[in-house]
Amino acid sequence: MSYIPLGLFALLIVAADQISKYFVVERIAYGSTVPFLEGVLHLTYVQNYGAAFSFLQGHRWLFIVVFVVFVALLIWGLHKKVLPFARFELWCLAAILGGGLGNILDRVFRGYVVDMIATDFIRFPVFNVADCFITCGCVLLMGDEEARGATPFYTSLDKVRFKRPVRPGDTVDLVCSITRARGPFRFATGTASVNGEVCCRADMSFALMHER
């Protein structure tokens, strides 16, 4: 899978986040509020020196270091293929990465994060566009609850394409990415590689069965 669309998605999140922050800083006085969706949301201008939702105030450089380490580990894991994320999980990571980068830019150039979205129907910390993508990405990345404790049973194998032979003694690396789900069934695409060279590609499906 090409990572270019994921990178563009992350950059679009950064752009949306920074544009919204620029609008707030230029148009809304610090501490004031502007109605947005009556009874649901209003806009304000808050300077957040902590993490998402004002958590851990005053730890600017800690957040920058944690973000850099996260990105470095993610790139290393994807490059070494030790993190065989499914396509959907990669989009979740791109959302987290884009949101994190949006807030990190604030910390580096402003020293604080601009927050502007406030809820009217519940008492909740003020947040921003980047926080929305970080939170949604994390929630969606928490995992497929239905798959926990289940035993996979293969149900089909399709579009098998051999690239090179596999010889006795070869160590085969298998990488499988789930592309969609329907009930107990999972549909995936996978590759088999030897010494970094792809030997075979195939689409497959399997059913998740729980013991009763």
Side-chain angles (χ1 to χ4, degrees):
M1 176 183 176
S2 173
Y3 296 124
I4 294 177
L6 298 171
L8 292 176
F9 177 58
L11 290 177
L12 284 174
I13 293 172
V14 174
D17 176 66
Q18 291 298 308
I19 291 172
S20 65
K21 290 171 178 174
Y22 176 81
F23 171 82
V24 167
V25 172
E26 292 295 318
R27 300 296 181 89
I28 302 177
Y30 178 73
S32 63
T33 62
V34 175
F36 185 59
L37 295 175
E38 188 174 353
V40 181
L41 299 174
H42 66 269
L43 299 180
T44 185
Y45 175 16
V46 175
Q47 296 176 356
N48 177 9
Y49 292 86
F53 310 122
S54 301
F55 180 65
L56 286 176
Q57 293 277 349
H59 292 75
R60 171 189 176 192
W61 290 107
L62 172 63
F63 301 128
I64 295 175
V65 170
V66 169
F67 179 78
V68 171
V69 171
F70 166 75
V71 173
L73 288 175
L74 180 61
I75 294 174
W76 176 83
L78 293 174
H79 176 68
K80 296 294 184 179
K81 297 183 179 180
V82 297
L83 299 173
F85 289 111
R87 184 173 302 177
F88 176 74
E89 293 172 326
L90 289 173
W91 285 103
C92 293
L93 287 171
I96 296 171
L97 183 63
L101 182 57
N103 282 341
I104 285 298
L105 289 176
D106 276 17
R107 298 186 194 283
V108 172
F109 295 105
R110 289 192 176 100
Y112 56 84
V113 174
V114 175
D115 287 337
M116 78 290 290
I117 305 173
T119 56
D120 294 327
F121 56 97
I122 57 172
R123 291 182 60 85
F124 199 75
V126 181
F127 55 98
N128 58 39
V129 173
D131 294 337
C132 294
F133 282 98
I134 293 171
T135 303
C136 291
C138 289
V139 170
L140 294 173
L141 195 61
M142 288 177 64
D144 187 350
E145 293 293 331
E146 188 177 353
R148 295 177 186 245
T151 302
F153 290 90
Y154 283 97
T155 55
S156 71
L157 189 63
D158 189 25
K159 298 181 182 177
V160 181
R161 302 174 294 280
F162 293 98
K163 302 292 185 180
R164 52 156 288 184
V166 178
R167 299 178 174 84
D170 285 345
T171 299
V172 180
D173 296 318
L174 300 176
V175 177
C176 178
S177 298
I178 297 176
T179 55
R180 61 192 176 97
R182 182 180 299 168
F185 295 97
R186 298 296 183 270
F187 301 86
T189 182
T191 61
S193 304
V194 175
N195 297 326
E197 295 186 17
V198 176
C199 302
C200 178
R201 299 181 187 273
D203 294 339
M204 65 202 75
S205 67
F206 54 92
L208 300 175
M209 307 300 292
H210 293 269
E211 295 183 4
R212 301 193 179 191

